Amino acid sequence: AGLSNDPMAEYSPARNFVENASAPAYLAYIAKRAGVKRFIHGGSCSVYGYTVNELYDETAPTTCAYPYGISKLQGEYGALQMADESFSVIGFRQGTVSGFSPRMRLDLVINTMSTQEVSGVFNIASGNYTIGEIADLVNEGVREYLGVDSKIIVKNIQDFRNYKVSAEKAKRILSFNPRFDAKDIVKDLVDNLDQFKDFTRPEYYNI
């Protein structure tokens, strides 16, 4: 129990520190006095603050500068101070909790997105390659996977179909993270070569 996210903590910082910092520490104190053997503190990964692209483990610095994260860390510390041989304290730093509950929370990220339809235009690509870079990948793949000593012939023909795109919007909004790239496609083509090895069949080409 407590103020359960940053907007609520910002709305009432004083109540936030009472409920998220003081109350858990006091609850651990009275639980220990009552003979409870194990106390589990419901913490939050918000204590880490802004981590950019790093993966933080439990030993990483807790640098949150906002009331919610600070108070959750204080509550965790307060509860852990009570730990000894007869009183076990476990702190669970939870990511954003979500899912169904009798009193639904539609202000949590997964729940919120489930109630809204995403619309818009998104670039979908695993990367940007020149024709020469693709040729190198194919050449390397043919040599590695087939053992064929192939050569690249450069013709220097100008092609106006030239674009370079960013897929950051799809990554940010749709969590688009491609599992395969051009090198994987070469491997897939080689693995299935027996299925289409007659390169002259007209149905293999649109024009």
Side-chain angles (χ1 to χ4, degrees), residues 47-86:
V47 299
Y48 296 117
Y50 189 66
T51 64
V52 194
N53 290 323
E54 295 182 68
L55 287 176
Y56 274 30
D57 64 15
E58 296 81 357
T59 64
T62 49
T63 58
C64 181
Y66 297 98
Y68 179 70
I70 295 170
S71 67
K72 295 301 288 185
L73 186 63
Q74 290 176 328
E76 178 184 280
Y77 280 168
L80 287 169
Q81 291 296 316
M82 303 301 301
D84 58 26
E85 293 181 357
S86 63

Side-chain angles (χ1 to χ4, degrees), residues 96-99 104-119 122 169-176:
T96 301
V97 182
S98 54
M104 272 300 290
R105 287 284 305 282
L106 294 179
D107 56 336
L108 302 171
V109 63
I110 297 179
N111 294 4
T112 299
M113 290 185 69
S114 298
T115 66
Q116 301 176 1
E117 295 298 328
V118 178
S119 299
F122 300 89
K169 180 182 175 183
K171 181 178 180 180
R172 184 178 71 253
I173 298 177
L174 304 178
S175 297
F176 169 72

Side-chain angles (χ1 to χ4, degrees), residues 3-204:
L3 299 192
S4 57
N5 58 18
D6 285 288
M8 293 178 69
E10 295 282 352
Y11 180 76
S12 182
R15 184 177 171 191
N16 165 67
F17 281 103
V18 169
E19 296 191 8
N20 288 334
S22 302
Y26 182 64
L27 183 59
Y29 167 75
I30 61 176
K32 183 175 181 178
R33 290 192 60 181
V36 171
K37 299 299 181 184
R38 173 171 294 163
F39 183 88
I40 298 176
H41 176 259
S44 171
C45 287
S46 294
V47 299
Y48 296 117
Y50 189 66
T51 64
V52 194
N53 290 323
E54 295 182 68
L55 287 176
Y56 274 30
D57 64 15
E58 296 81 357
T59 64
T62 49
T63 58
C64 181
Y66 297 98
Y68 179 70
I70 295 170
S71 67
K72 295 301 288 185
L73 186 63
Q74 290 176 328
E76 178 184 280
Y77 280 168
L80 287 169
Q81 291 296 316
M82 303 301 301
D84 58 26
E85 293 181 357
S86 63
F87 186 65
S88 169
V89 178
I90 297 175
F92 283 153
R93 292 176 179 173
Q94 304 165 92
T96 301
V97 182
S98 54
F100 172 76
S101 64
R103 204 283 277 177
M104 272 300 290
R105 287 284 305 282
L106 294 179
D107 56 336
L108 302 171
V109 63
I110 297 179
N111 294 4
T112 299
M113 290 185 69
S114 298
T115 66
Q116 301 176 1
E117 295 298 328
V118 178
S119 299
V121 177
F122 300 89
N123 291 334
I124 302 296
S126 66
N128 293 287
Y129 304 89
T130 65
I131 294 296
E133 289 170 337
I134 293 175
D136 286 334
L137 288 173
V138 173
N139 191 42
E140 292 169 8
V142 167
R143 290 186 177 190
E144 179 181 352
Y145 305 131
L146 294 178
V148 174
D149 186 17
S150 59
K151 295 181 180 179
I152 297 175
I153 299 174
V154 180
K155 294 186 176 181
N156 291 316
I157 299 173
Q158 188 174 11
D159 192 335
F160 293 99
R161 296 167 298 174
N162 182 43
Y163 56 81
K164 192 173 184 179
V165 300
S166 168
E168 284 301 310
K169 180 182 175 183
K171 181 178 180 180
R172 184 178 71 253
I173 298 177
L174 304 178
S175 297
F176 169 72
N177 288 291
R179 291 188 297 156
F180 306 105
D181 59 16
K183 187 174 182 179
D184 296 305
I185 295 171
V186 174
K187 177 66 163 58
D188 183 56
L189 291 170
V190 171
D191 288 344
N192 291 280
L193 185 60
D194 288 341
Q195 306 295 322
F196 67 98
K197 58 185 177 182
D198 180 5
F199 299 157
T200 63
R201 293 177 62 175
E203 61 261 40
Y204 289 168

